[in-house]
Amino acid sequence: MMRPSTVDYNGRQVDIEWLQSILTPNTSAKRLYMQFSPDTKIVTGMQKMAQRFTNTFLTIVGDVKFDQNFGTTFWDDLFSGAAQNLGRVAAAVVQAIMFAMDSIQEDDALTDVYGELPDDERLEGATLLDYSIDVNNGVLSIQIELTSLAGGSYTFVLPVQAIRS
Amino acid sequence: MTDSLNTITQEKFDQAESLVISLLRSAVPNLDLRRGTVLRDLLVRPAASFYALEADRLAEAQATRSLQLMSEAGTEPTAEAVNAILSNFMVDQRVGSKATGLVRVLVSNNQTYTLSAGLTLTTLDGITFGISTTYTAKPNPDSGDWRQLPVLPAEDGVNYYFNLPVQAVEPGADGQVEAGTAFTLSTSFAGFVSATASAQFSGGADAETLDELIERLPAAISHRSLESRASIDAILRSADHGGFGDVLQAVSVVGYGDAAQLRDKHNAQGVAMGGKVDIYARSFNQPAYVTLEKRGTLISPNTYSIEISADDAPGFYAVRAVADAEAEISPSLEFGALPAIGSYDVADVRAHTNLALTRHDLDPANGLIESAFTTLQTATLIVNDVAGADAEYRQFKVQLYVAPQLADIQAYVDDPSVMNVKADYLVRCPVICLVGLRVQVVRHPGDELVDVEGMRAALANYINGRSFVAQLTESEIVAVLHQFDILRVNMGPEPSRGFQMSGVLRDAAGNVHQLSGPRLDLRKVVAPQYLLTADTIVFAIDPNDIYITVSDE
């Protein structure tokens, strides 16, 4: 949940918005889905941070040509059967979170290459809050909270759809 | 040329990506290009990939923009890349040629044999030859059909043979196999006994390497007329022009401003006016000489006179020897002196002919010097001390040092379609400093074999490559000897010193100069008025004048 504050986004580095969000009923966390909107917007601040984290988290490590270390093992673990029980899901998610954080924090430190990053866009931590499996619909829902160096937090749910055979 | 992203290395991509990020940030600093951003995935990575691809393609194109870069790359470039550059200069890389020859096929029966096109014959060294047409060898072939070969009785009285024309499959000088070289057939046939080369094969030449082409190119692309030193050299050597490339070892062009150019000073002030060129053409490796049989006329007791016309030995340099017609002349010179061992004492009196008729400008008052070593030169040899001679005429054997094909080269530059209408070109035999060498080499303890013949050949090769240079030094000679496995050359003090080098040369006036010591320094004998300068003199040695002794420490 975002802390109430007034932030001046002038002069911020921007990205193209890719992560859409909807408020699901009876939850305080946004449910994210990946899609470019019909009227493309730019994104900055914590939303950009969440977008970076999500992109990194969901990229299969080794999938990106010329950047074989980018991404996490999340999908590989799912494909190898981690979704069979919640304990394995948790372990896979936690490990993937670690991979994603390392990757993001590595680039955040390269200010001479990418420029300065304000504290509210610098990822300090990522925590797995909750997770559940809807077996009937084949959906794995992961609730993650991101915290920035500025103290702000961003909680969201990642729905991961299984491929039905 | 690279046309796939799969050939891009990680390193090249990283370099390209860094550059793209740097360029974008300098232009649009508020774009977040970190990994995980959409801009990184959709903008930076594709741009970097294509940048790396284009950088590779550019590097490939740049590497083929010059022959020197191709050579330095270390990999043999494609003929297409080389010829693309050469086409700018209307020059072709020499591709080599295939050797041809006759194979003597020995067969057991006097009957008809058919050899089908595609048959190959291979030597023990693996050189393959083939026939491109079907031949029929028969006892009574049709005379009008060149594909029918006669089968003839062999010398052994038992077998028969026919000569089969073959051509090497690949170009190269190694196709010029020696007579008697044995072949195996790809497909044998009944009655086949053996196949050998009937005579040495010919016509094989190696393709020109890139380094050889780079060395040849400046001369090849020089302006195609007799206007500069480079172009004169190039035109004389070019197969499309003079065609003397196989014989010319070195060329020195003496023209305006050169000390040995006398012919452009035909004015009251003796000032050089240009327009005259003397071409000193070294058309020999080791000293070349012709042997003539000439009739001498008795001019006084025991003394004969022999006339050497301009056509006998055009532009000859010096007398090597004069002996009786039936006598053998030594292959060696007296060390440091002319004439050769066993020759009569000879006085060489030069003259000239046709000065008034030639288009070349020579001063009659200085005709002896200005016609020296050219096709206008004549001579009278006075042979002294001919024992027991009283016949009016006597046959002599005369050996004269020459520059082979000098007359042909002169004829070429005189050709109206070739000659430079602004200048007068006269071709001369170079002044030859005939070198004699005596060396003593010390072998390693325990060594028995020292390659003396190899040393002699290497020394001769080196000295005969020294043309139009100011000196020949003992250190150069010693360096050549140390290419062989010896302990040292005996360079100790006299009288035990094992190194002696001498040189003898004759100037245009007939003066003989002798050089000796650790350095044959032509600057000691420079006399431009007698055509003696470093630009006119070459070092040359006959291997018979190299004496090598081997000793132990």
Side-chain angles (χ1 to χ4, degrees):
Chain A
M1 169 155 320
M2 293 206 45
R3 295 180 192 274
S5 65
T6 301
V7 182
D8 180 5
Y9 288 104
N10 272 334
R12 292 289 191 102
Q13 288 183 340
V14 300
D15 194 10
I16 296 175
E17 186 187 46
W18 160 75
L19 213 56
Q20 309 301 312
S21 61
I22 53 172
L23 269 176
T24 53
N26 301 319
T27 70
S28 60
K30 297 173 183 173
R31 195 170 185 82
L32 299 181
Y33 61 96
M34 285 73 77
Q35 182 178 297
F36 286 111
S37 69
D39 48 331
T40 305
K41 297 185 285 290
I42 58 174
V43 63
T44 190
M46 286 208 72
Q47 191 172 355
K48 187 181 71 173
M49 182 186 74
Q51 188 170 279
R52 271 182 74 201
F53 177 87
T54 306
N55 186 15
T56 307
F57 183 90
L58 293 178
T59 299
I60 301 174
V61 68
D63 236 22
V64 178
K65 194 172 176 64
F66 299 122
D67 201 350
Q68 299 287 290
N69 295 326
F70 179 73
T72 71
T73 56
F74 174 69
W75 285 109
D76 287 338
D77 287 339
L78 278 193
F79 293 149
S80 63
Q84 289 177 18
N85 63 72
L86 288 175
R88 289 184 65 181
V89 168
V93 172
V94 167
Q95 181 170 285
I97 287 175
M98 282 173 48
F99 273 126
M101 277 190 56
D102 285 346
S103 178
I104 290 172
Q105 289 173 340
E106 180 184 335
D107 277 11
D108 286 353
L110 293 174
T111 54
D112 56 335
V113 177
Y114 299 112
E116 293 295 330
L117 205 58
D119 286 349
D120 65 343
E121 293 184 15
R122 296 190 72 140
L123 182 67
E124 188 187 39
T127 308
L128 175 64
L129 295 182
D130 196 7
Y131 49 90
S132 62
I133 299 178
D134 179 354
V135 176
N136 291 330
N137 295 313
V139 177
L140 167 66
S141 296
I142 308 167
Q143 187 172 3
I144 297 174
E145 181 186 56
L146 303 179
T147 53
S148 71
L149 266 180
S153 64
Y154 189 96
T155 305
F156 59 92
V157 175
L158 265 180
V160 178
Q161 181 81 47
I163 299 172
R164 292 185 176 276
S165 60
Chain B
M1 185 160 285
T2 304
D3 57 2
S4 166
L5 291 176
N6 293 329
T7 63
I8 307 301
T9 63
Q10 182 70 49
E11 183 185 353
K12 288 179 184 172
F13 177 85
D14 290 343
Q15 289 173 353
E17 191 177 57
S18 292
L19 181 63
V20 169
I21 291 172
S22 174
L23 289 173
L24 280 173
R25 283 206 27 83
S26 65
V28 195
N30 64 331
L31 296 182
D32 191 341
L33 303 176
R34 293 173 177 83
R35 288 182 301 169
T37 60
V38 174
L39 288 171
R40 181 66 170 253
D41 285 345
L42 297 187
L43 179 62
V44 173
R45 286 209 175 98
S49 297
F50 289 116
Y51 183 90
L53 177 64
E54 287 307 308
D56 252 12
R57 290 160 61 88
L58 181 61
E60 281 182 27
Q62 285 181 326
T64 57
R65 76 172 194 270
S66 88
L67 299 177
Q68 189 66 43
L69 287 175
M70 289 184 202
S71 176
E72 290 169 357
T75 55
E76 194 66 22
T78 63
E80 181 188 34
V82 172
N83 288 324
I85 294 177
L86 295 182
S87 64
N88 294 309
F89 308 104
M90 293 180 287
V91 174
D92 297 315
Q93 186 176 21
R94 293 173 184 156
V95 296
S97 57
K98 299 177 182 178
T100 58
L102 293 175
V103 173
R104 190 173 199 266
V105 181
L106 197 65
V107 293
S108 57
N109 300 316
N110 185 21
Q111 64 182 57
T112 298
Y113 300 91
T114 300
L115 295 100
S116 301
L119 174 73
T120 60
L121 301 86
T122 306
T123 68
L124 289 177
D125 293 333
I127 304 168
T128 303
F129 298 79
I131 58 175
S132 57
T133 191
T134 297
Y135 289 95
T136 305
K138 52 177 28 178
N140 296 301
D142 298 336
S143 60
D145 189 350
W146 55 269
R147 288 164 296 186
Q148 294 191 14
L149 310 172
V151 176
L152 303 167
E155 296 84 5
D156 60 9
V158 175
N159 294 308
Y160 301 83
Y161 77 95
F162 56 89
N163 286 324
L164 179 67
V166 300
Q167 182 183 55
V169 170
E170 297 294 333
D174 58 0
Q176 300 181 132
V177 298
E178 300 288 330
T181 300
F183 294 86
T184 56
L185 271 60
S186 58
T187 307
S188 190
F189 54 87
F192 172 75
V193 175
S194 67
T196 55
S198 175
Q200 178 166 18
F201 284 21
S202 63
D206 292 331
E208 189 174 31
T209 65
L210 193 56
D211 287 341
E212 288 168 349
L213 174 62
I214 290 172
E215 191 172 337
R216 175 172 72 93
L217 197 57
I221 63 172
S222 63
H223 186 51
R224 305 298 174 93
S225 71
L226 297 169
E227 288 200 359
S228 68
R229 296 179 207 278
S231 65
I232 291 172
D233 191 313
I235 285 185
L236 290 178
R237 294 177 191 271
S238 166
D240 297 325
H241 295 84
F244 300 105
D246 290 340
V247 298
L248 277 178
Q249 178 158 309
V251 173
S252 175
V253 176
V254 174
Y256 178 66
D258 293 325
Q261 178 51 255
L262 305 178
R263 298 190 301 120
D264 71 345
K265 300 183 178 74
H266 294 167
N267 52 71
Q269 295 77 24
V271 173
M273 299 296 286
K276 307 291 190 299
V277 176
D278 291 352
I279 302 172
Y280 288 80
R282 180 172 189 162
S283 54
F284 51 90
N285 181 263
Q286 64 188 55
Y289 55 85
V290 293
T291 303
L292 308 172
E293 188 161 318
K294 297 291 289 184
R295 188 175 77 168
T297 303
L298 189 69
I299 58 173
S300 66
N302 305 111
T303 304
Y304 285 86
S305 162
I306 300 173
E307 297 299 319
I308 305 295
S309 72
D311 295 329
D312 281 337
F316 82 91
Y317 164 62
V319 177
R320 184 178 187 276
V322 176
D324 290 325
E326 65 279 3
E328 290 293 324
I329 299 177
S330 169
S332 304
L333 297 177
E334 190 77 51
F335 188 75
L338 277 173
I341 299 170
S343 169
Y344 284 117
D345 174 46
V346 180
D348 173 6
V349 182
R350 302 289 172 98
H352 46 77
T353 183
N354 292 333
L355 284 195
L357 301 176
T358 182
R359 64 175 290 275
H360 299 292
D361 181 19
L362 292 92
D363 181 5
N366 196 30
L368 181 68
I369 305 298
E370 294 190 4
S371 67
F373 320 130
T374 72
T375 56
L376 299 167
Q377 174 185 262
T378 63
T380 300
L381 307 184
I382 308 300
V383 186
N384 300 303
D385 301 325
V386 181
D390 54 7
E392 183 181 5
Y393 301 110
R394 189 183 177 101
Q395 289 299 113
F396 290 94
K397 185 182 294 183
V398 178
Q399 287 185 340
L400 303 171
Y401 286 112
V402 294
Q405 295 193 40
L406 189 85
D408 295 330
I409 299 173
Q410 183 68 67
Y412 175 73
V413 300
D414 285 345
D415 187 322
S417 65
V418 172
M419 71 181 185
N420 188 320
V421 296
K422 298 178 291 186
D424 169 5
Y425 293 78
L426 200 60
V427 183
R428 300 184 193 271
C429 175
V431 175
I432 307 173
C433 180
L434 294 159
V435 180
L437 195 60
R438 287 183 184 147
V439 293
Q440 183 185 44
V441 299
V442 181
R443 61 185 160 200
H444 289 286
D447 273 3
E448 294 210 358
L449 292 176
V450 175
D451 186 4
V452 172
E453 286 310 310
M455 286 186 203
R456 183 174 289 117
L459 288 170
N461 199 45
Y462 181 81
I463 293 171
N464 288 324
R466 303 295 287 160
S467 299
F468 309 115
V469 294
Q471 60 184 2
L472 180 67
T473 66
E474 69 178 17
S475 59
E476 295 171 71
I477 304 301
V478 171
V480 173
L481 289 169
H482 273 291
Q483 294 172 10
F484 297 84
D485 190 19
I486 60 171
L487 183 62
R488 62 184 179 85
V489 179
N490 181 6
M491 306 297 287
E494 299 290 355
S496 62
R497 184 177 172 87
F499 187 98
Q500 281 182 287
M501 184 164 62
S502 73
V504 60
L505 56 157
R506 180 193 186 282
D507 65 30
N511 304 309
V512 176
H513 305 268
Q514 290 184 312
L515 300 168
S516 62
R519 185 193 307 265
L520 301 185
D521 191 345
L522 298 178
R523 289 168 293 193
K524 292 182 181 175
V525 297
V526 162
Q529 70 276 22
Y530 299 142
L531 305 184
L532 275 195
T533 69
D535 294 332
T536 65
I537 304 172
V538 300
F539 290 100
I541 191 168
D542 190 307
N544 291 309
D545 293 315
I546 301 174
Y547 300 91
I548 301 175
T549 55
V550 181
S551 66
D552 295 313
E553 184 71 295

